[in-house]
Amino acid sequence: MALRNILTQEDEQLRKQSRKVEKFDERLHTLIDDMRETLENSGGVGLAAPQVGVLRRVVLVLDINKDPEEMIEMVNPEVIERRGEQRMVEGCLSVPGVYGYVTRPTWAKIRAQDRFGNWFEREGEGVVAQCFCHETEHLDGHLFTEKVEEYVDIEALQQKDEEGADE
């Protein structure tokens, strides 16, 4: 396994369409393993292959709703169902230091293949539903900044939350 560089918003590669994965081989497994290590090292909750410079439809999402947390590996994922609506602060490893409110579903179901090509479906709520949508949008060349309704100073927001917790 190896850490990969995460591309930032200036890189045109992030705005390109990713290709469907056809071969479920050792090369794909290496990509997934490298992405896992990169995501774990980044402190983020999701990572798409285009973010590490590979235009393939591969996404990892950390399911923080599970105890212990679980890494979901998804090849050729698509969001097939969404419900509800939530306005959440969102950020992106490819847009460091930028945060904003984005409206996402409160629940989403995704259909994908695992690293061996087996199809599965997975449901997610809250942050996991948000990540399913955010990460699959990367595969089509979109960044969350296209959906931001209002940018946020994350430090001011955290300070406000801490003050509220003290009361």
Side-chain angles (χ1 to χ4, degrees), residues 16-18 50 56-59 77 135-141:
K16 294 181 179 175
Q17 184 86 15
S18 294
R56 293 286 183 268
R57 298 187 80 78
V58 178
V59 163
E135 299 307 332
T136 55
E137 287 172 1
H138 274 298
L139 303 178
D140 295 321

Side-chain angles (χ1 to χ4, degrees), residues 46-89:
L47 186 67
Q51 292 179 274
V52 294
V54 179
L55 290 176
R56 293 286 183 268
R57 298 187 80 78
V58 178
V59 163
L60 297 183
V61 170
L62 183 61
D63 187 341
I64 62 171
N65 295 336
K66 296 272 187 198
D67 188 18
E69 295 175 342
E70 180 185 347
M71 188 72 71
I72 309 167
E73 301 174 352
M74 295 173 277
V75 180
N76 299 321
E78 59 181 307
V79 178
I80 57 172
E81 220 177 311
R82 329 166 176 248
R83 283 193 222 130
E85 200 172 84
Q86 59 188 346
R87 189 170 185 255
M88 304 174 75
V89 174

Side-chain angles (χ1 to χ4, degrees), residues 130-158:
Q130 176 186 21
C131 286
F132 285 170
C133 297
H134 177 114
E135 299 307 332
T136 55
E137 287 172 1
H138 274 298
L139 303 178
D140 295 321
H142 298 289
L143 293 173
F144 89 103
T145 51
E146 297 170 33
K147 292 185 169 290
V148 170
E149 299 156 8
E150 174 189 353
Y151 286 96
V152 174
D153 177 344
I154 199 71
E155 290 172 4
L157 194 63
Q158 288 171 336

